[in-house]
Amino acid sequence: MQEYDAQGLAKAIRNQREKLGLSASEVARQAGVAKGTITRLELGQIGSPRMDNLRAIADVLNVSLTELLADSSLLRESDLPALTPYLRTKFKDMPEGAVKEIDEHFREVAKRHGIHLNNGPAAGEDE
């Protein structure tokens, strides 16, 4: 497994747990993991966290596994989809015209702020 930001993951888990008013014991119970796993993750002491544990913890914390992985650098920028395939996947019922409208707006905003976007996959490659 690649190097990751254990403190970023620790902070993400702890912040969301506290936001929900859950104890580490309660998160552990609901996720089906040992309390020590939660404690050690929140202290940044687990060198290679198990994805099944992180997925279960994310479910309990009402966040996506992707959010936890991104906060910890376990998920690289190159692992994320471009906006258009993301929108098509996340919002399956969104009309194609709406997807294009959002994409165009996003590109305009990015350009105004000096953000250079890669073009992502070619048409049809993301499906």
Side-chain angles (χ1 to χ4, degrees):
M1 182 175 285
Q2 71 183 36
E3 288 296 316
Y4 80 104
D5 177 9
Q7 294 309 313
L9 179 63
K11 182 178 178 183
I13 292 172
R14 183 175 45 256
N15 287 348
Q16 185 64 13
R17 178 180 62 75
E18 291 174 350
K19 178 180 171 185
L20 296 174
L22 297 173
S23 67
S25 296
E26 183 59 19
V27 172
R29 185 189 69 72
Q30 289 185 36
V33 301
K35 179 183 180 280
T37 299
I38 304 299
T39 301
R40 291 180 60 223
L41 281 168
E42 288 189 2
L43 293 172
Q45 295 176 343
I46 296 182
S48 294
R50 290 179 32 193
M51 288 299 121
D52 58 333
N53 285 346
L54 291 179
R55 182 172 284 109
I57 292 164
D59 288 346
V60 171
L61 297 177
N62 296 321
V63 297
S64 70
L65 177 60
T66 305
E67 280 184 62
L68 287 182
L69 296 177
D71 285 343
S72 67
S73 301
L74 281 166
L75 189 64
R76 301 167 300 205
E77 181 181 333
S78 62
D79 294 330
L80 297 170
L83 183 60
T84 299
Y86 168 80
L87 290 171
R88 286 184 186 142
T89 302
K90 180 81 174 177
F91 305 102
K92 293 186 184 314
D93 295 333
M94 183 180 289
E96 186 61 28
V99 171
K100 288 181 181 179
E101 185 178 341
I102 291 169
D103 186 60
E104 288 171 10
H105 181 69
F106 179 71
R107 289 179 184 285
E108 289 172 16
V109 170
K111 184 177 179 180
R112 275 197 316 266
H113 292 277
I115 299 169
H116 302 285
L117 304 174
N118 74 21
N119 292 329
E125 286 184 343
D126 57 306
E127 301 178 15

